[in-house]
Amino acid sequence: MAINIGHASLDENGKISGGAAGDQNGKEVCIRTWYSKPWSLVLRSRDSAKAEKMAKACEAGCANNKIGYDQGQRNTLNTQASKVGYDLGKITTACECDCSSFMAVCAQAAGYNIPYSGGNAPTTSTLQSAFVSTGGFDVLTASQYLTTDVNLKRGDVLVKPGSHTAMALGNGANIVVVPSDPDGEIKTGGTMQATTNQTGQVLLSVHMRDIGWGAWIADGNMAGSTGQNRRIEAIKIKPVNQMNATVHVKDIGNKTYNNITQNTIMGTVGEKKRLEAVKIESSDMVYAYQVHQKDLGWSNWCFNGGQAGTTGKSKQIEAMKLKVCNIAYQAHIQEDGWMSMVPDGITAGTTGQSKRVEAIRINPYKLVISAQAHIQDTGWVDYGTITKDTIIGTVNQKKRLECLKLKGNIEYRAHIQQTGWTTWTKADGVATVGTVGQSLRIEAIEIRAL
């Protein structure tokens, strides 16, 4: 059976001009089966994705009875298409085209910059040069493309100069269609993880689309990639001691793995199934982890039992970070309120936004930490030995934290208004981080265990 083609033919009166605007009989711009003109050449898009967009635009144009045929008004289709972003199905004002101006608009809908001469679309005689000038088309003139449809691809433009043009809307019998990847095309650029194995407390390896297993990545460094549209399909973790993990897999849902080892493969390999979420639990260790998802970016840091990543939105995980967490903390920021909890060494607060930290909260886990803080208009406040619920500073009083004095087996630093980051300071209960008497705000803080 012949494939279908889409084209603009004649007006409702069987003439090339003079009819009413729009398709009056459903045949002016329509779909029919392939036929031998005979054709002189085929214009084939070098970009398969754009070829598909051209075909979809052609189908939308054929289905829209607001688009009719009239050589005398052939450019009114382009006028209306430009108003709706070349989504031909959205045109609501009756307009006209002819066979070649219809093909030009379909190519424009796919993102090709088709040249117009004095506002006039290419004709069948100039269509070849116009399309080739974009750098995106090959010209096929062998008889195997012209006298039969079996070698045509969806989106091919058939041309007989001085006579007619049409678009193939199907693939011929000889065309083997390789299924497109469910998550789209890989992109160039972006950021890729380290390529050599790292050492550290906890190790993470991810199985990436078209690459396979990456190197072992340690202690909160990025495993995977960003900006490449490259899904993670499975992960392996070398835990410190006991660990359970749950991953959410496309089409499968949650899969839980108990008492994992470095050889446990969590997810799938060779099935083109993306991971969408990760949850980690441990009976003897606190882990912090976050994921980078398509279109969503980096998630908040999660801790034992928290889910990193969203489900139900078909968003692939592209990168992941995992580390042992000895201490966690969060900052209450001017105008923004409480930010999410972050683990050792990660910034809580903001830089470059001129926003004060008004309070911090520290989860010391197994550490013993005491705290003092110098607060705007209040001075020094001693909080003694803190717990995860201790609020160091004030909330809803618009008062800046100006200086901190911590004691415990940790070191810390702060980003100060005008001067930037302080040096890392051991929390000995004597040394301070920040200023007193200068009315300078703390804008961010980082803490790490020793």
Side-chain angles (χ1 to χ4, degrees):
M1 179 180 291
I3 65 170
N4 284 335
I5 60 174
H7 68 162
S9 181
L10 294 169
D11 70 13
E12 70 272 25
N13 301 312
K15 297 181 179 180
I16 62 173
S17 62
D23 194 334
Q24 305 302 312
N25 58 14
K27 298 179 181 180
E28 295 184 44
V29 181
C30 64
I31 295 174
R32 58 157 295 169
T33 56
W34 176 92
Y35 66 98
S36 177
K37 185 70 181 171
W39 304 103
S40 302
L41 60 97
V42 169
L43 298 169
R44 174 168 292 174
S45 172
R46 295 172 179 169
D47 186 327
S48 60
K50 286 188 174 181
E52 177 61 24
K53 290 180 180 180
M54 289 172 59
K56 287 183 176 179
C58 183
E59 290 168 337
C62 290
N64 189 344
N65 62 15
K66 294 296 183 180
I67 303 172
Y69 186 99
D70 189 327
Q71 284 191 1
Q73 301 294 323
R74 63 193 301 268
N75 294 303
T76 57
L77 168 60
N78 184 50
T79 299
Q80 296 304 319
S82 65
K83 296 178 180 179
V84 293
Y86 288 89
D87 185 343
L88 303 195
K90 292 183 177 180
I91 292 176
T92 57
T93 300
C95 56
E96 305 279 60
C97 64
D98 64 7
C99 62
S100 54
S101 68
F102 184 38
M103 293 298 102
V105 168
C106 290
Q108 289 170 275
Y112 285 115
N113 185 20
I114 303 299
Y116 279 55
S117 178
N120 190 35
T123 66
T124 55
S125 297
T126 60
L127 202 64
Q128 175 182 345
S129 61
F131 275 45
V132 169
S133 72
T134 68
F137 290 86
D138 292 319
V139 181
L140 310 177
T141 57
S143 61
Q144 67 195 68
Y145 302 109
L146 310 177
T147 60
T148 175
D149 68 332
V150 296
N151 297 303
L152 294 178
K153 289 185 177 181
R154 180 170 162 84
D156 282 351
V157 178
L158 297 74
V159 184
K160 184 175 178 62
S163 178
H164 195 49
T165 182
M167 184 180 296
L169 298 179
N171 290 304
N174 290 346
I175 302 299
V176 177
V177 179
V178 178
S180 60
D181 191 279
D183 292 312
E185 299 295 321
I186 294 290
K187 299 179 180 179
T188 58
T191 303
M192 175 58 69
Q193 69 162 71
T195 57
T196 56
N197 290 331
Q198 299 177 352
T199 58
Q201 281 186 292
V202 60
L203 303 179
L204 169 66
S205 177
V206 300
H207 191 279
M208 294 171 279
R209 170 186 168 186
D210 294 346
I211 291 179
W213 289 107
W216 286 102
I217 302 299
D219 300 339
N221 291 317
M222 185 190 80
S225 66
T226 60
Q228 297 186 9
N229 194 39
R230 191 183 301 278
R231 66 176 169 266
I232 290 176
E233 301 170 337
I235 62 174
K236 292 191 293 188
I237 297 173
K238 186 177 181 181
V240 178
N241 289 305
Q242 193 275 335
M243 180 187 285
N244 303 329
T246 299
V247 295
H248 189 91
V249 184
K250 177 197 174 191
D251 297 334
I252 296 175
N254 287 336
K255 296 184 68 175
T256 298
Y257 303 82
N258 293 321
N259 299 313
I260 67 170
T261 71
Q262 68 183 78
N263 297 317
T264 305
I265 297 174
M266 293 168 278
T268 62
V269 173
E271 298 184 34
K272 295 185 177 182
K273 294 184 184 296
R274 61 181 172 263
L275 294 189
E276 297 179 349
V278 177
K279 180 172 67 175
I280 291 173
E281 299 172 287
S282 174
S283 60
D284 55 22
M285 187 72 62
V286 178
Y287 292 97
Y289 47 97
Q290 66 174 168
V291 299
H292 188 282
Q293 269 184 297
K294 180 178 182 179
D295 299 331
L296 302 178
W298 286 105
S299 70
N300 291 333
W301 282 94
C302 294
F303 304 84
N304 286 14
Q307 177 179 290
T310 62
T311 60
K313 294 185 177 181
S314 300
K315 300 298 184 182
Q316 66 194 13
I317 291 178
E318 299 175 337
M320 181 175 173
K321 297 177 181 179
L322 170 67
K323 63 183 299 180
V324 171
C325 180
N326 299 296
I327 188 171
Y329 45 96
Q330 64 183 148
H332 189 281
I333 305 301
Q334 172 186 348
E335 299 176 353
D336 298 333
W338 286 111
M339 302 185 74
S340 62
M341 194 75 73
V342 298
D344 318 45
I346 305 300
T347 301
T350 62
T351 60
Q353 297 185 36
S354 300
K355 292 185 178 182
R356 64 181 172 266
V357 171
E358 299 175 339
I360 60 172
R361 205 155 37 191
I362 301 172
N363 188 339
Y365 294 114
K366 297 179 181 180
L367 298 172
V368 178
I369 298 173
S370 60
Q372 297 180 54
H374 193 277
I375 302 169
Q376 175 186 353
D377 299 333
T378 301
W380 283 104
V381 176
D382 190 343
Y383 295 89
T385 301
I386 63 171
T387 71
K388 63 182 178 63
D389 298 315
T390 304
I391 295 176
I392 303 167
T394 61
V395 174
N396 298 326
Q397 295 185 37
K398 297 183 179 180
K399 293 185 177 182
R400 62 183 173 265
L401 277 185
E402 297 178 337
C403 194
L404 291 169
K405 185 189 296 182
L406 304 180
K407 184 177 182 180
N409 196 28
I410 58 173
E411 61 180 0
Y412 62 116
R413 66 175 185 165
H415 191 278
I416 310 300
Q417 175 186 355
Q418 297 180 359
T419 60
W421 285 105
T422 66
T423 58
W424 283 99
T425 301
K426 181 174 172 53
D428 59 6
V430 177
T432 60
V433 169
T435 63
V436 174
Q438 299 184 45
S439 299
L440 297 177
R441 62 182 173 266
I442 291 177
E443 298 177 336
I445 186 171
E446 294 178 355
I447 307 172
R448 59 192 184 194
L450 294 174

